[in-house]
């Protein structure tokens, strides 16, 4: 008796018009909507108390106005644009970078600047606290439908803020969605979580796509006359 050929079970393709067929592969979603990191906020400890007035008077592009803000502000333009907030306790906040690695390098550079004026600064406990990214769905979104269908996670008050606020639980971060189709991802600790958030919010936004209004029958002819 001839043996029957075995193989993986066949699956029927999704109908061309189905939501599953329209949805791009998950690994490509972040790239398809143009995910771009706009800001990385990181913190570290310099390991000693800082003399902020000396920092402000001895380092270029530094300022310290204690009546307005309790930290010395250092600005870096090259090789990466970044800003450091240095507190007397030795805590430093670095912001303005576009990646985790750039933020770490900027923190190391700021620590070396402080070392050059004979203050004992050694970067330790570096940690990314927040990453902010932007995306574009490429089509307008019905925010009223989105807040209605996802009321547990979404809030929308256009009189106060033009965007819808969507509080994602896992990964835990916040999405700001706008009528134009653009949205902001904030609260991520790393780029992997940011990509996961994009993959999770994409089908939600796709459900609320605003279709272009179709012209009424005979409208084109009426305009031509």
């Amino acid at each position: 008796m001839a043996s029957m050929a075995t193989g993986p079970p066949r699956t029927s393709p999704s109908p061309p018009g189905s939501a599953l067929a329209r949805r791009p592969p998950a690994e490509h979603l972040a790239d398809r909507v143009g995910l771009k990191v706009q800001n990385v906020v990181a913190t570290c400890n310099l390991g000693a108390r800082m003399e902020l007035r000396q920092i402000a008077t001895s380092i270029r592009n530094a300022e310290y106005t204690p009546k307005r803000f309790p930290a010395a502000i250092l600005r870096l333009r090259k090789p990466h644009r970044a800003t450091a907030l240095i507190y007397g306790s030795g805590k430093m906040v670095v912001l303005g970078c576009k990646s985790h690695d750039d933020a770490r390098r900027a923190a190391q550079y700021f620590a070396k600047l402080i070392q050059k004026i004979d203050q004992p600064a050694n970067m330790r406990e570096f940690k990314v606290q927040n990453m902010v990214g932007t995306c574009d769905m490429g089509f307008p979104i019905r925010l009223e439908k989105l807040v209605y269908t996802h009321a547990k996670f979404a809030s929308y008050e256009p009189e106060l803020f033009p965007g819808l606020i969507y509080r994602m639980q896992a990964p835990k971060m916040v999405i700001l969605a706008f009528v134009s189709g653009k949205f902001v991802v904030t609260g991520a600790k790393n780029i992997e979580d940011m990509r996961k958030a994009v993959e999770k919010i994409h089908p939600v936004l796709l459900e609320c796509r605003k279709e272009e209004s179709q012209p009424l029958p005979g409208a084109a002819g009426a305009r031509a006359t």
Side-chain angles (χ1 to χ4, degrees), residues 78-142:
K78 294 180 180 179
H80 309 288
R81 184 180 292 271
T83 300
L85 309 177
I86 301 171
Y87 296 84
S89 63
K91 179 181 178 181
M92 179 166 69
V93 180
V94 178
L95 57 155
C97 293
K98 304 291 187 180
S99 72
H100 177 283
D101 292 341
D102 286 352
R104 177 180 285 275
R105 283 191 286 265
Q108 292 172 335
Y109 184 85
F110 286 125
K112 289 179 180 179
L113 285 180
I114 298 173
Q115 290 173 1
K116 289 181 179 179
I117 61 172
D118 297 325
Q119 290 202 39
N122 294 289
M123 190 195 76
R124 59 185 71 174
E125 301 171 10
F126 178 87
K127 184 178 181 181
V128 170
Q129 301 292 346
N130 185 26
M131 296 180 71
V132 179
T134 55
C135 304
D136 190 350
M137 291 292 289
F139 52 77
I141 301 170
R142 295 175 58 192

Side-chain angles (χ1 to χ4, degrees), residues 6-11:
T6 60
R10 295 183 179 180
T11 56

Side-chain angles (χ1 to χ4, degrees), residues 17-20 22-24 29 137 139-151 153-154 164 166 177 181 183 198-212:
S18 68
L20 185 60
R22 292 197 305 268
R23 182 177 177 179
L29 282 177
M137 291 292 289
F139 52 77
I141 301 170
R142 295 175 58 192
L143 299 183
E144 296 83 358
K145 179 180 178 180
L146 180 53
V147 73
Y148 178 78
T149 55
H150 294 82
F153 308 105
L164 177 142
Y166 188 99
F183 64 99
V198 171
E199 292 166 5
K200 192 170 183 179
I201 197 66
H202 185 275
V204 174
L205 299 178
L206 194 61
E207 289 175 1
C208 302
R209 177 172 184 166
K210 182 185 291 186
E211 301 293 342
E212 295 183 5

